[in-house]
Amino acid sequence: MAQADIHFQRPSRFALHFRTFRIFMSGSLVSRVADWMDLVALNWAVLQFTNSPLYLGLINACRLVPAFLLSVPAGILADQYDRRRLLIWIQIGMMLLTFFLGYIVESAQPFWIFVCIVTLRAMLAAMDPPIRNAFVPNLVPEPSMTSAIAINTTVIHLARIVGPAVAGALLAVTEIENLFYINAWGTLGVLCSLLMIRSVSCSNMNKKKSNKGSFRDAADYVRNQPSVQSLLILAIVPMVFGFPYTTMMPLFARDLLNMGSEGFGILLSISSIGALMGTTLLSSGSEIKGAGKWLVYSILGFGASLLLFIATTNVLIAGIAMFLVGLTSQTYRTISRITLQMHVPDQMRGRVLSIALMDRGFIPLGAILIGAVAGLTGTLWAGALMGLGCIAVTLLIVSARPQILHL
C-alpha cells in the first residue's frame, strides 16, 4: 500500500507579517485604552483628594512635560537597541508604578509621593510613542506600511473613545484605586503581545552597522533632506493654531453655543468619530498618491472646518463642523506620519520620529496664545484666529517651500 504524500505548507512571509502585526495591534489597543482610563482615574483622584485646580494642573504638567523632554532620547534608544525589548521593559516599569499608584491612593499617602510616582511613570510613558511608532514598520512588508501606520493611528482614536467611557462606568461601581489596579493588570496583556511577536525585518542588521548613531546624525539628516524639513515645519502649523481646539472647547461650547459640560463632551466625541473615520479610510489603501497635496488640502480643510464651527450658532451645523474638524485634522496627521516614515531609513527612523513627535509640545503654546486672544478680544475672534491661522500660515509655507506639493 503506497504511502500518501503529505505536504506541510509553511505560512507565507506575508502571513507571518500580518499575524505579528495583528498581535502587536491587539496589545496596542489594550495599552491605549488603559492610558485613557488611567487619565480619567488620575484627574478624578486629584480632584477628590485635594479639590484643588492648582494640583490638577500640577499633575498634568508632571504628566505632559516629560513627553516633550524625553522624546528625542527615546528616539535615540529606538535606533540603538532592540525596539521590542525596550517596549517590554517600559511596560514592566509602568505596570509596577501603576500598582504603586493604586496603593498610594488606597492608603492615602502624602500627595508629594503621588506626584513623584506620576512623574516617574510619565518619564517611561513619554518614551513609548517614539519607540512604538518606529517599531510598527518593522512588522510589515514595505508595500503594507501605509495601511499599518494608519491602522496604528486608528487604534489610538478608538481607544480615545472607548477608554474614558469604560473608566466612567467603572468609577460608578468601584473605588478609584481599583482603576489603577485594573490598568496595571491590563499591562500583562500588552506584555504578552510583545513576548509573542518577533521582528521579521532586517532592522537588527542595520543597527549593527550604525549602533553608535547620535542625535547629531539625525539633525544632519534632516538638514540635508528638504522634504523631511518641509514635513516637520508644516506639522507645527496645526499644532499651534488648530489642535488647541480640544483645550478651548469648553469656552466655545459655553460662549458660542450656550451648551454645558454635556454638550462639550458630545462635541469632542463627534470630533473623535470623525478622526476615527479618517484614519480608517486611510488604513484600507496601500499607497497615497500625491501625499504632499493631500497634506496641504487637509490642513486647509481643518482651518475651514474650524471657521464653520465658530461661525454658527446652530447645534446641528456645529456638530457637522466638529465631525469635519476630527476628519481633516487626523487625516492630515496620519498622512504626515506615513509620508515621514516612508522617507526616513529604518536606522534613522526612531530619532527623526522623536523630533516629529515633539510637535505635541506646541499645543500648550497654541492654547496659551488662543486663550490670550480670547481674553483680550473675545471667544469669537480667538476661534477665527485658529481657522485663519491654519489656512494663512499653511499657504505661506507652501509658497516658500513648493516642494511640499510634490512629496
Side-chain angles (χ1 to χ4, degrees):
M1 183 175 178
Q3 186 177 3
D5 291 334
I6 301 175
H7 299 282
F8 294 95
Q9 184 177 5
R10 296 182 63 185
S12 67
R13 185 172 179 81
F14 180 81
L16 287 173
H17 274 292
F18 179 75
R19 190 185 332 173
T20 302
F21 179 70
R22 185 173 57 186
I23 293 170
F24 181 71
M25 282 295 99
S26 299
S28 292
L29 179 59
V30 173
S31 175
R32 298 297 184 180
V33 170
D35 287 345
W36 280 98
M37 290 174 59
D38 186 88
L39 178 60
V40 173
L42 195 67
N43 289 333
W44 194 255
V46 173
L47 283 177
Q48 180 169 319
F49 290 105
T50 68
N51 196 30
S52 169
L54 176 61
Y55 285 150
L56 184 62
L58 173 63
I59 282 294
N60 280 279
C62 293
R63 186 178 61 85
L64 293 173
V65 170
F68 183 76
L69 297 178
L70 297 179
S71 180
V72 169
I76 294 173
L77 290 176
D79 288 338
Q80 293 182 348
Y81 299 101
D82 186 288
R83 293 164 184 168
R84 185 180 70 97
R85 291 183 180 179
L86 287 171
L87 289 172
I88 289 173
W89 284 113
I90 286 172
Q91 293 299 322
I92 290 174
M94 290 180 62
M95 179 179 67
L96 296 176
L97 290 171
T98 304
F99 272 125
F100 196 21
L101 278 179
Y103 167 75
I104 291 172
V105 172
E106 184 178 15
S107 58
Q109 298 293 318
F111 185 70
W112 69 267
I113 299 179
F114 185 82
V115 172
C116 290
I117 299 303
V118 167
T119 304
L120 287 175
R121 196 184 59 162
M123 293 171 67
L124 290 176
M127 304 182 78
D128 183 272
I131 299 172
R132 186 174 295 273
N133 280 274
F135 188 46
V136 167
N138 297 152
L139 302 176
V140 295
E142 187 171 342
S144 301
M145 191 184 298
T146 296
S147 293
I149 297 170
I151 290 171
N152 183 50
T153 308
T154 301
V155 164
I156 294 173
H157 292 296
L158 182 61
R160 180 181 173 184
I161 297 172
V162 174
V166 173
L170 288 174
L171 280 173
V173 297
T174 188
E175 300 296 332
I176 296 176
E177 59 267 19
N178 290 330
L179 259 70
F180 290 111
Y181 293 141
I182 291 171
N183 291 340
W185 285 116
T187 307
L188 289 177
V190 184
L191 286 171
C192 287
S193 71
L194 290 170
L195 292 171
M196 289 171 64
I197 67 177
R198 60 180 180 178
S199 176
V200 288
S201 73
C202 60
S203 58
N204 287 335
M205 295 173 59
N206 292 331
K207 289 188 183 72
K208 289 179 181 179
K209 296 178 183 179
S210 180
N211 60 0
K212 293 185 179 180
S214 64
F215 178 70
R216 178 175 294 179
D217 296 332
D220 290 339
Y221 173 82
V222 172
R223 191 179 301 114
N224 296 321
Q225 296 290 328
S227 59
V228 175
Q229 282 182 28
S230 299
L231 286 169
L232 296 177
I233 292 171
L234 193 63
I236 297 174
V237 178
M239 294 299 161
V240 173
F241 293 103
F243 281 99
Y245 81 87
T246 55
T247 302
M248 305 301 295
M249 186 55 64
L251 187 65
F252 294 151
R254 186 194 67 189
D255 292 355
L256 302 179
L257 297 169
N258 296 316
M259 301 174 74
S261 59
E262 297 84 0
F264 148 65
I266 291 172
L267 288 172
L268 284 184
S269 296
I270 293 173
S271 172
S272 297
I273 293 171
L276 184 62
M277 179 71 71
T279 53
T280 301
L281 291 174
L282 288 172
S283 67
S284 61
S286 59
E287 184 180 357
I288 301 174
K289 296 182 179 180
K293 292 180 180 178
W294 281 109
L295 281 172
V296 174
Y297 295 157
S298 57
I299 298 182
L300 296 179
F302 186 20
S305 300
L306 287 169
L307 289 176
L308 176 62
F309 174 75
I310 293 299
T312 186
T313 56
N314 184 287
V315 175
L316 177 60
I317 296 177
I320 294 173
M322 286 311 300
F323 177 85
L324 294 174
V325 164
L327 178 67
T328 53
S329 63
Q330 292 306 324
T331 296
Y332 158 75
R333 193 157 172 78
T334 304
I335 294 177
S336 178
R337 290 290 180 262
I338 291 170
T339 308
L340 187 64
Q341 296 217 38
M342 295 292 287
H343 277 76
V344 177
D346 184 72
Q347 66 269 22
M348 198 72 68
R349 186 172 289 133
R351 283 163 287 174
V352 175
L353 278 178
S354 69
I355 297 173
L357 288 169
M358 290 178 70
D359 62 8
R360 296 172 295 173
F362 287 95
I363 297 179
L365 295 178
I368 293 173
L369 171 64
I370 302 302
V373 172
L376 292 172
T377 62
T379 305
L380 183 63
W381 284 106
L385 174 63
M386 294 175 69
L388 292 174
C390 279
I391 294 172
V393 179
T394 297
L395 292 176
L396 285 174
I397 292 176
V398 172
S399 64
R401 291 176 168 264
Q403 66 267 28
I404 292 174
L405 298 173
H406 305 292
L407 290 173

